[in-house]
Amino acid sequence: MKKRVFSGIQPTGEIHIGRYLGAIRHWVSMQDNYDSIICVVDLHAITVPQDPRLLKGRIREFAGLLLAAGIDAERSILFVQSHVSAHSELAWILNCFIPMGWMQRMTQFKEKSVKQKEQVSVGLFDYPALMAADILLYDTDVVPVGEDQKQHVELARDAAQRFNNIYGETFVLPEPVIPDVGARIMGLDDPNKKMSGSEMGVGHSIALLDSPDVIRSKIMKATTDSHRDVVFDESRPGIFNLLTIYQIITGEGKKEIESRFAGKGYGDLKKALAEVVVEVLRPLQERYRQITADPGHIDAILKSGAEKARPLAVRTLARVKEKVGLG
Ligand code: AQP
């Protein structure tokens, strides 16, 4: 029996290379050895204000980009969260078992609520309970995520353990899997901030659909420092971030990269990095154009994905309701 992997992506902002390098490319490679379920988590997206017309389009765009990045709808179940209502139902039940204190410790809520002040929604606070439901519904063994989501996966595990302690074995305990390199790709404009889909600055991130010229321009303008030598030094976050992106894409070792740029400057690294990013995104962009040429194709995949996910989710939900004494 293969282990099960569950992954989710929120259709907010754009798919930037942080999400791609930190998470999506691992989802693609894990399809070979794991039973893989991938979800466009649209219910999570509405925890912050969304324009309904944009959201609908973005759900399809994100699904198309996942397919273009290498998610194979024959080997993985790809679906939209709101198409399987068991996610919301289990989230409610988990709400009644997760202590407030656990939720109050979630750093992502603290960071995001600062921006929104008194407009912040209960849904944003409750985001980790819904994420726990996403994961636990599918008897998930592993959840590959960037560093920012590790705390939420740990909360899902704690919630599962607490429920199992009260009612006996019900949930599989999930493990977060964090990449050794690239777990936190930083913004190009501010390397002290995580690259994020909801940051609006023009030079903040590289979107998977950015044109070669836009990619070159954003990388050439990336914030660095006043040093010259191109070395992996975490105390220089701008150049460290650019080198990390270069390292992941080329697959070269740190020493190899440092000797490649020995005696050269930041401008040389930026030029070389721009070309490797352009080349890694070129085939992905081409596949995206092919996939979206038939407007019904993505919807058909998502419909079939929901049909495969639903029975798995319903089975877990029934088990939970029975244990709790509902119905
Ligand atoms: N900068 C990043 N570096 C490495 N991994 C990242 N991920 C996101 N940003 C980076 C990982 O990508 C997966 C999908 O992300 P998400 O859809 O859950 O959204 P998020 O983590 O909230 O990403 P953003 O870009 O910060 O979105 P907004 O700004 O809308 O909240 C996750 O595994 C995530 O860890």
Side-chain angles (χ1 to χ4, degrees), residues 8-10 12 16 18-19 22-23 27 108 112 127 144-149 182-186 194-199:
I9 185 157
Q10 190 174 249
T12 48
H16 49 73
R19 281 164 158 175
W27 307 347
Q108 195 182 70
K112 288 196 171 178
Y127 180 113
V145 283
E147 209 172 73
D148 59 326
Q149 294 291 342
R184 195 171 173 82
I185 301 292
M186 310 307 278
K194 187 195 81 155
M195 188 179 284
S196 158
S198 51
E199 274 301 320

Side-chain angles (χ1 to χ4, degrees), residues 17-93:
I17 55 164
R19 281 164 158 175
Y20 176 66
L21 300 176
I24 297 170
R25 70 190 186 101
H26 298 289
W27 307 347
V28 172
S29 62
M30 287 176 96
Q31 292 178 112
D32 294 334
N33 301 319
Y34 288 83
D35 181 12
S36 152
I37 301 184
I38 292 152
C39 185
V40 180
V41 292
D42 55 346
L43 294 170
H44 279 98
I46 60 165
T47 56
V48 292
Q50 298 293 335
D51 176 332
R53 285 158 310 166
L54 289 184
L55 179 59
K56 235 183 187 358
R58 215 180 268 131
I59 292 165
R60 267 83 200 157
E61 181 193 307
F62 273 45
L65 280 168
L66 289 172
L67 293 166
I71 297 300
D72 175 357
E74 296 296 319
R75 285 187 294 158
S76 293
I77 298 179
L78 174 64
F79 74 107
V80 178
Q81 186 184 31
S82 66
H83 295 181
V84 179
S85 58
H87 288 249
S88 309
E89 286 187 69
L90 182 60
W92 176 257
I93 298 173

